[in-house]
Amino acid sequence: MSSVILRNVNKSYGNLPIVKNLNLEVKDGEFVVLVGPSGCGKSTTLRMVAGLEDITQGDIQIGDRAINDLPPHKRNIAMVFQNYALYPHMSVRENIVFGLKKSGADAQTIKRKLADVSEMLKLDDYLDRKPADLSGGQRQRVAMGRALARDADVYLFDEPLSNLDAKLRHHMRTEIARIQHQYNMTAIYVTHDQIEAMTLGDRVVVMRDGVVEQVGTPMEIYLQPTNTFVATFIGSPAMNLFEAKIEGEDLVFDKYRIPASKIANVDMHNLASHETVLVGIRPDFFEDSALSLKRSPSDNLFEFNDIEVDLVENLGFDKEIMFKLGGEDAKARLDLRSHVQRQENISLSVDLNRVLLFDTSPQGMLINAGEV
Amino acid sequence: MASSILIKNEARLGLKMVAPAIGIIGLLVIYPILFNIYLSFFDVQLNGTKTFVGLDNYSDLLGNPRYYHSIGVSVIYLLGTVIGTTVLGLAAAVLMNQEFHFRNIARGLILLPYFAPVISVVFGWQFIFDPVNGIYNHVVVDVLHLTDTRENLIGNPDSALFVVILFDIWKHFPIAYLLLLAKLQSVPKDLYEAAAIDGQNAWGRFWHVTLPELKFVIATVVLLRIIWNLNRFEDVYLLAPNVETLPIFTYYQAFAGIVDQGGAAAISVIQLLVLVGLIWLYVRKVLKW
């Protein structure tokens, strides 16, 4: 295992920049997830680490080796491809040991690794089959096995679960997390699926348009997104953002006045320099006031009264409601015990410790940054 | 019950649909083959009179040293041309699958020898190897001074065989190239990437990805080349009529000197059997299709 360091890495095709000045250090044994919308440069970044794309500018280092000019076959990496890229003329067994053999492992090691991997990924029954005779999920496991069998410095995953159905994806996600902990491998994992990013990553790198927007643990990203892009990209349904005027010590929007001083980590002096701010509230942090869940005097709650519910979606364990707040569409996710009905007037309460404030610049930077 | 009637009707309709094709094939392919087999048991005169001779044509043939000689020539010709066109076609296809400027023009130009009419390029080749004025002798003798004597490569049947092989490789590698390139373009890129990640250099990727992916197309090329070249006549006859491959021998037997159409028919019957046997062996045993 090894660390991976990317220093001022740039990639462009002709005049079109794809990755702009990227800096990232993946520690030894760390699982880092690159996440972002399509075209954000996350796959390109991964492919640069793999050596499948050349680096326009900057340095990449694996362990203490500079690898900029090393071709992929000399980098000692393993990779799982989105479309699996299994060798069609080889059996599952041959696919798994192919790279291992090339790396010069002895017969004993090859046998042991094959047994390990095929047991772990439940491939025992398919070892003699060709990829064409496998289902999508089985192929995915073979691709995974081929990478895991290798004794690589770094393991790279390029959206490995995106071709699976939802149930299988969930299952494999859990498997990957388990394997990663077991082997303590250094891994870079690319996905556009924020749930994969949140559940798998020791750290998550959120990218947009070739730029790293934020690097942090999943909880940092979730609770303290540095800007409105990260705030709305991570979390489903997306975070609600309301524009509020600052009047004295209060944030005013629609008919509500929120006392700014009660919101966590707010520097009142700094706040006074803004005329308006964006108030960010995750749908998950709304509660149906009628339920009075988890109330205690120390709670720092704010009540949004008189909310007319436009729509209720029952999801089983919880329900999502849609309503208007300050003229904007908003969403809340409520406990299943809530009895809200469509077109009913209700009040929603929010823990002010969980409310985020962003400035109204195009970047929408977080104002009340603090401890998570 | 209803479905079995449906199936019967379908079968009847199907038979009607393919009947014209079967008729044409029967008339143009099956009938000549059968008639050829029939002829091989007769002594055929040019005026059309036929005398039944039993297996005489076959026994005469099997006692004829020229026949065995032409078989030997054909084997060398086949080996040289099939291997030569496949290898050269593969090399050209791999090359033309790389990105470079003017690739499309180059891809088109490679096909030229295949498009060019045999009769015109044959004269060109004869001129190249002409002992007095040809560029070959000029380069070898006057420029490079490799030997002192000007050779008549086409005039000598032994060396002419190699000229004929070279000519066929040059003329027919584009078809191998075309088929192989078409398949090469459909090989998924990520297979090469996976192989690179698995530690394979360019040669390893060619060996472990390209070749297995091309296997069946290469096999098809080889099969086609065997069938075509076992029967190849005009290229050989026009360039060097002294190279006696089986078809040329058959032609001499049938139409030149002492005309012996019955004997020629016997040769082609044997050749047909050999060809069918070869293809069967190749397809079932070598390729395991």
Side-chain angles (χ1 to χ4, degrees):
Chain A
M1 297 296 159
S2 281
S3 60
V4 181
I5 299 168
L6 294 95
R7 231 178 263 117
N8 304 322
V9 170
N10 283 275
K11 172 75 185 179
S12 39
Y13 291 118
N15 290 327
L16 185 72
I18 305 294
V19 174
K20 300 169 198 161
N21 210 36
L22 186 139
N23 283 286
L24 178 67
E25 183 176 350
V26 181
K27 299 188 195 76
D28 192 1
E30 190 178 30
F31 198 112
V32 166
V33 177
L34 306 184
V35 66
S38 46
C40 73
K42 55 192 191 297
S43 276
T44 309
T45 305
L46 189 81
R47 293 169 61 81
M48 282 193 282
V49 175
L52 301 173
E53 300 278 352
D54 47 55
I55 303 159
T56 310
Q57 219 173 50
D59 294 300
I60 299 182
Q61 210 177 307
I62 296 180
D64 41 22
R65 291 187 298 157
I67 55 159
N68 282 36
D69 300 321
L70 278 188
H73 65 269
K74 293 187 179 161
R75 293 192 181 193
N76 194 26
I77 44 178
M79 182 159 169
V80 181
F81 291 81
Q82 182 173 9
N83 296 317
Y84 317 141
L86 300 176
Y87 310 116
H89 60 285
M90 295 185 197
S91 67
V92 169
R93 181 196 315 275
E94 290 163 330
N95 263 286
I96 291 175
V97 303
F98 183 65
L100 202 55
K101 266 189 185 156
K102 178 70 192 170
S103 70
D106 57 72
Q108 206 65 47
T109 315
I110 292 175
K111 209 176 155 192
R112 182 173 49 79
K113 284 268 190 181
L114 176 67
D116 277 2
V117 164
S118 60
E119 200 214 314
M120 177 167 58
L121 294 166
K122 301 184 182 67
L123 290 169
D124 286 322
D125 296 340
Y126 316 116
L127 285 178
D128 293 316
R129 289 206 207 159
K130 294 274 170 71
D133 303 327
L134 301 177
S135 71
Q138 290 163 344
R139 279 179 218 181
Q140 207 283 334
R141 296 216 297 275
V142 177
M144 205 71 111
R146 181 173 65 180
L148 293 176
R150 295 273 310 282
D151 215 351
D153 287 336
V154 187
Y155 295 81
L156 306 174
F157 299 85
D158 190 4
E159 309 211 17
L161 305 184
S162 60
N163 289 347
L164 301 181
D165 63 57
K167 196 177 159 192
L168 209 51
R169 194 180 313 160
H170 187 138
H171 173 74
M172 283 311 294
R173 202 172 72 215
T174 325
E175 288 295 292
I176 294 174
R178 201 169 55 78
I179 293 163
Q180 198 269 334
H181 290 304
Q182 191 178 337
Y183 282 69
N184 197 32
M185 56 192 190
T186 310
I188 305 178
Y189 187 108
V190 162
T191 181
H192 60 261
D193 182 321
Q194 41 151 325
I195 298 176
E196 283 172 33
M198 294 292 287
T199 52
L200 289 171
D202 292 325
R203 280 192 303 155
V204 175
V205 177
V206 184
M207 292 181 71
R208 174 175 58 162
D209 295 339
V211 174
V212 171
E213 296 284 347
Q214 187 172 3
V215 182
T217 65
M219 285 322 272
E220 280 166 2
I221 302 269
Y222 184 71
L223 295 175
Q224 290 273 294
T226 49
N227 57 36
T228 49
F229 170 74
V230 179
T232 49
F233 185 75
I234 298 288
S236 174
M239 180 184 285
N240 301 300
L241 291 172
F242 315 104
E243 191 168 320
K245 276 206 194 70
I246 296 177
E247 289 182 16
E249 301 232 311
D250 293 339
L251 306 173
V252 180
F253 67 100
D254 205 7
K255 57 198 171 199
Y256 308 105
R257 294 182 81 90
I258 304 177
S261 60
K262 290 183 119 187
I263 296 173
N265 309 319
V266 173
D267 176 349
M268 294 305 289
H269 184 71
N270 174 12
L271 193 68
S273 67
H274 297 270
E275 275 181 27
T276 54
V277 292
L278 288 172
V279 178
I281 306 175
R282 290 211 179 272
D284 319 62
F285 294 146
F286 281 110
E287 275 175 13
D288 184 349
S289 302
L291 288 179
S292 311
L293 296 164
K294 300 179 272 186
R295 285 278 167 87
S296 80
S298 65
D299 276 353
N300 188 11
L301 293 178
F302 181 84
E303 298 272 342
F304 290 94
N305 298 315
D306 257 349
I307 282 176
E308 189 185 328
V309 177
D310 288 337
L311 196 66
V312 177
E313 287 180 339
N314 273 306
L315 302 175
F317 178 72
D318 42 25
K319 49 189 73 183
E320 278 175 30
I321 64 167
M322 268 142 269
F323 55 97
K324 288 256 189 318
L325 205 57
E328 300 280 334
D329 281 318
K331 277 188 176 181
R333 182 182 284 165
L334 303 179
D335 193 278
L336 88 162
R337 283 165 291 183
S338 168
H339 295 296
V340 287
Q341 299 292 321
R342 206 164 82 84
Q343 285 171 343
E344 200 178 44
N345 277 346
I346 61 165
S347 27
L348 294 173
S349 53
V350 163
D351 181 355
L352 288 182
N353 292 328
R354 294 288 173 225
V355 170
L356 300 173
L357 302 180
F358 300 93
D359 68 28
T360 48
S361 69
Q363 289 78 34
M365 301 306 287
L366 182 67
I367 296 171
N368 60 334
E371 292 286 302
V372 174
Chain B
M1 279 315 278
S3 74
S4 78
I5 291 170
L6 206 62
I7 289 169
K8 254 183 215 160
N9 282 343
E10 284 263 327
R12 211 169 294 143
L13 179 69
L15 216 57
K16 280 180 199 158
M17 303 288 256
V18 296
I22 289 180
I24 291 171
I25 290 173
L27 201 67
L28 297 182
V29 179
I30 312 285
Y31 169 69
I33 289 177
L34 292 178
F35 189 62
N36 196 46
I37 294 173
Y38 166 79
L39 276 186
S40 71
F41 299 110
F42 287 86
D43 180 19
V44 185
Q45 301 299 317
L46 270 187
N47 62 14
T49 50
K50 295 190 279 278
T51 328
F52 182 76
V53 293
L55 291 172
D56 280 5
N57 283 330
Y58 289 95
S59 60
D60 282 355
L61 193 60
L62 295 176
N64 184 349
R66 262 182 83 195
Y67 178 59
Y68 295 104
H69 176 255
S70 71
I71 289 177
V73 171
S74 267
V75 168
I76 297 173
Y77 179 72
L78 267 184
L79 279 176
T81 54
V82 170
I83 295 172
T85 45
T86 309
V87 170
L88 191 61
L90 179 60
V94 170
L95 189 70
M96 289 297 142
N97 202 33
Q98 314 295 319
E99 301 271 347
F100 57 87
H101 283 296
F102 308 114
R103 181 171 74 170
N104 285 345
I105 294 175
R107 280 182 174 178
L109 286 178
I110 284 193
L111 294 175
L112 269 184
Y114 192 64
F115 293 150
V118 184
I119 189 69
S120 57
V121 288
V122 152
F123 285 130
W125 275 67
Q126 280 174 341
F127 195 62
I128 289 174
F129 292 102
D130 184 278
V132 180
N133 301 313
I135 183 111
Y136 171 80
N137 276 302
H138 174 69
V139 169
V140 169
V141 178
D142 297 340
V143 179
L144 298 174
H145 303 293
L146 293 178
T147 87
D148 292 338
T149 48
R150 291 173 165 265
E151 301 278 349
N152 186 354
L153 285 184
I154 291 181
N156 174 352
D158 289 335
S159 52
L161 174 56
F162 292 97
V163 175
V164 165
I165 290 174
L166 217 59
F167 175 77
D168 181 87
I169 293 173
W170 171 79
K171 180 135 182 56
H172 294 282
F173 87 91
I175 188 69
Y177 150 82
L178 204 62
L179 292 169
L180 291 166
L181 182 62
K183 174 65 194 173
L184 263 188
Q185 288 172 328
S186 74
V187 177
K189 264 217 177 78
D190 56 4
L191 282 184
Y192 289 104
E193 296 180 346
I197 300 259
D198 274 337
Q200 299 293 342
N201 58 19
W203 171 248
R205 296 197 288 274
F206 175 76
W207 190 257
H208 293 290
V209 177
T210 308
L211 274 188
E213 285 284 306
L214 291 183
K215 184 179 158 194
F216 285 106
V217 179
I218 291 177
T220 308
V221 167
V222 167
L223 190 62
L224 284 175
R225 297 294 300 144
I226 290 177
I227 296 172
W228 290 343
N229 275 7
L230 195 62
N231 295 328
R232 173 85 50 204
F233 177 76
E234 73 281 16
D235 296 27
V236 182
Y237 187 72
L238 290 173
L239 181 58
N242 52 357
V243 176
E244 242 176 64
T245 58
L246 269 175
I248 310 285
F249 174 67
T250 313
Y251 171 77
Y252 287 146
Q253 202 73 17
F255 299 110
I258 311 153
V259 173
D260 181 4
Q261 297 207 329
I267 303 172
S268 36
V269 169
I270 294 177
Q271 198 171 326
L272 177 72
L273 291 178
V274 168
L275 191 56
V276 169
L278 262 184
I279 292 168
W280 181 85
L281 209 71
Y282 179 68
V283 170
R284 301 309 291 270
K285 298 296 167 187
V286 179
L287 301 181
K288 303 193 168 84
W289 269 345

